[in-house]
Amino acid sequence: MTDAQETAADSSLRTTGGAPPDEGVTGVSVEGTPTPLLEPRDGIPPVVADPDALAQVIAAFAAGTGPVAVDAERASGYRYGQRAYLVQLRREGAGSALIDPVACPDLSGLGEALAGTEWVLHAATQDLPCLREIGMVPSAVFDTELAGRLAGFPRVGLGAMVESVLGYVLEKGHSAVDWSTRPLPEPWLRYAALDVELLVDLRDALEKELDRQGKLEWAREEFDAIASAPPAPPRKDPWRRTSGMHKVRRRRQLAVVRELWTARDRIAQRRDVSPGKVLSDGAIVEAALSLPPNVHALTALPGFGHRMGRRQLEQWQAAVERAKALPDAELPQPGQAVAGPPPPRSWADRDPAAAARLSAARAAVSALAEQLGMPQENLITPDTVRRVCWEPPGDLSADSVAGALAAHGARPWQITQVTPVLARALTTPAP
C-alpha cells in the first residue's frame, strides 16, 4: 500500500468539518461504506442573477472566514469557447452561492472582496481561465486534484477524492450537460452546489496528509506557481490540432484543412456553438484527403451527408476551392515548427549519446517518482527532461544541472529531488 492508499483506507482520517447531517460525523456508515451526499446542508441556494443579489453575496463572502471553495461550470461541446455559465462558492460564515455569470458578467467586485483569501479549487488550471474572464483572479490557491497527485492517490477526480478521503459519494451525473441552458434545472443546481459542499474539508484533510508525507511545502510551491502563472498565449496554428491530421501529408491537403477549419471556427463563433457541431474534424480531414472537385463529390464524403443544406455544402466547397487556388508559396509546410528538441523517436539516429541520456533519465525519474509516490509528470515534466538531455550543461555538475532545470521552469522542490538522479543519468555513455 502507498501512503495515500493507507490514508484512504483509514476511516479515522476522514473528517468533514461539520459535514451533514450532524457536525463532526464522518461520511462512513456503520458498515464502513461511503454515504451518498444527496442534498447541500443548507439546501440549494437561489441562483444570483441581478446586481442586488450579487451585492449581498459579495458582502457575505467578504465577511466570511477561512478559505473559499470555488468551482465553475462551462458548456464544453455545446458552446463556442470556454466561458463560465455558473460559478459556485462556499465559505465558512457565508454558506454557498450559485452565481449566473451570464446575467452578472462582471464579478470583479467579488474577486476584490476575496483578495488575500485562499481559493480552493479542484483542477484549478481548468477553471481559472474562465474565472479570469469575469474578473475573478485569486492571489492564493489550493488545488485538491494536484494535492491528490502529489500525495499519491490513484484516483484524483473530485468524486473519487471525496469518497476515499471523506467517505461521501457525490452524484456526478450532470458533469457534461449544457450549462448554458436557462433556466438551469434543479437537479443540476443541486449537483453544482454539492461540488463545493466539501471542498474545504477535502483541502484540510489533504493538507494534513501532505504534511504527514513531508510534501506540504512542495505542494505550496506548486500552488504558488498556479496562482502566479500568466494567461496562456494564443495557440499558434490551432488548425493543426484537428483530430486525424496524421493522415494529411501533402501541402495542398494541409491548406484544405486550414481553410475548412478557419471557416468552421468563424461560423461557430458567430453562432456561439461548439465547432464540432458545425462540422466534424473527421469531415475536414476527409475533404482534405479527397480534394473534391465539386459540391456533388463533397456530398458523397463522410460528414457531408444529405442532411446538410445546399448553402452549407457550397460554403464548404468554396473553402476547398480557396485552398486549391493558393500558389505553392502560400501553402502551409508539413509538420509544425516546435521549439526545443526533436521527437525522441529520431534521437537514436540523430544523436545516439542524447538518446542514451534520455533513456537513462527516464528510468531514473520513473524510479524516483515511484519511490516518492507520485506521477512522473508531477515530479518533473517530460518536456524538461527531454530538453536537458538534448542540450545538457557543459560540465554536468550538480549545480549546472540544477541551473538547467531552473531555466526550464522547474520549482525548487523539483530541482532538489531530481538533480542528483538526472546528473547521474546525463553521464550515461552512448552504447
Side-chain angles (χ1 to χ4, degrees):
M1 265 193 176
T2 65
D3 288 340
Q5 288 169 329
E6 289 176 357
T7 296
D10 184 356
S11 62
S12 67
L13 293 174
R14 290 170 173 156
T15 172
T16 61
D22 298 312
E23 186 172 354
V25 301
T26 71
V28 183
S29 69
V30 175
E31 295 79 15
T33 57
T35 300
L37 190 60
L38 303 177
E39 291 287 339
R41 68 191 79 176
D42 303 320
I44 303 172
V47 177
V48 173
D50 62 74
D52 290 341
L54 178 59
Q56 293 177 20
V57 166
I58 291 174
F61 275 79
T65 59
V68 57
V70 182
D71 191 21
E73 304 295 348
R74 299 177 298 279
S76 303
Y78 297 93
R79 296 288 183 175
Y80 185 86
Q82 294 295 313
R83 67 172 296 184
Y85 283 94
L86 188 70
V87 175
Q88 309 102 280
L89 305 99
R90 183 171 182 85
R91 191 180 192 191
E92 183 69 28
S96 295
L98 302 177
I99 303 175
D100 180 358
V102 178
C104 301
D106 181 5
L107 298 186
S108 57
L110 178 59
E112 292 167 3
L114 296 172
T117 300
E118 180 188 84
W119 292 22
V120 184
L121 303 101
H122 194 81
T125 54
Q126 294 182 18
D127 287 340
L128 288 178
C130 69
L131 291 169
R132 180 180 284 111
E133 288 180 359
I134 53 179
M136 295 185 66
V137 182
S139 56
V141 162
F142 191 106
D143 186 333
T144 50
E145 184 199 48
L146 181 52
R149 292 180 181 277
L150 295 175
F153 282 85
R155 297 188 303 143
V156 294
L158 179 58
M161 293 293 292
V162 167
E163 182 175 341
S164 62
V165 177
L166 303 180
Y168 283 97
V169 178
L170 290 178
E171 194 275 312
K172 299 298 290 182
H174 303 299
S175 59
V177 299
D178 181 3
W179 287 95
S180 68
T181 301
R182 293 295 183 272
L184 287 165
E186 182 176 299
W188 300 12
L189 296 174
R190 180 181 297 107
Y191 158 88
L194 288 173
D195 262 6
V196 292
E197 181 81 3
L198 297 177
L199 206 49
V200 172
D201 304 285
L202 179 60
R203 171 235 180 271
D204 293 344
L206 289 172
E207 183 180 59
K208 292 177 182 177
E209 176 61 15
L210 289 167
D211 190 38
R212 186 179 75 83
Q213 294 186 26
K215 299 175 180 176
L216 184 55
E217 289 304 317
W218 304 358
R220 286 173 175 160
E221 288 183 23
E222 294 296 312
F223 301 156
D224 288 346
I226 291 173
S228 61
R235 193 181 299 276
K236 183 180 180 182
D237 290 345
W239 60 270
R240 291 186 183 270
R241 294 177 62 83
T242 303
S243 180
M245 276 291 291
H246 62 282
K247 303 175 186 177
V248 183
R249 304 290 186 182
R250 292 156 47 194
R251 293 178 65 196
R252 188 71 58 185
Q253 294 172 331
L254 291 171
V256 172
V257 173
R258 182 176 64 185
E259 289 294 334
L260 284 172
W261 188 97
T262 302
R264 179 185 70 173
D265 192 69
R266 185 167 56 247
I267 294 168
Q269 186 171 13
R270 185 178 71 246
R271 291 169 49 189
D272 190 20
V273 296
S274 169
K277 289 186 174 296
V278 176
L279 188 67
S280 70
D281 280 10
I284 290 177
V285 171
E286 288 292 337
L289 296 176
S290 300
L291 296 175
N294 50 49
V295 169
H296 180 73
L298 181 70
T299 306
L301 298 177
F304 297 94
H306 62 278
R307 290 187 297 177
M308 189 173 288
R310 178 77 183 184
R311 183 177 178 182
Q312 289 177 292
L313 290 166
E314 288 176 347
Q315 70 184 359
W316 300 131
Q317 185 62 33
V320 173
E321 296 301 329
R322 287 195 298 272
K324 291 163 70 173
L326 287 173
D328 288 350
E330 295 181 20
L331 296 176
Q333 294 294 330
Q336 186 174 12
V338 178
R345 62 179 177 271
S346 68
W347 287 27
D349 293 330
R350 296 182 59 173
D351 190 339
R357 291 193 295 266
L358 182 61
S359 178
R362 283 174 164 173
V365 169
S366 176
L368 179 58
E370 184 174 355
Q371 177 187 335
L372 294 174
M374 69 176 65
Q376 297 178 43
E377 62 270 20
N378 292 114
L379 174 58
I380 193 73
T381 67
D383 180 67
T384 297
V385 174
R386 287 193 295 269
R387 288 173 182 269
V388 174
C389 288
W390 184 251
E391 294 184 349
D395 61 6
L396 296 183
S397 66
D399 286 345
S400 295
V401 173
L405 290 172
H408 292 303
R411 259 72 73 189
W413 77 268
Q414 294 175 315
I415 295 170
T416 299
Q417 296 297 319
V418 173
T419 293
V421 299
L422 195 56
R424 288 193 295 270
L426 290 174
T427 61
T428 300

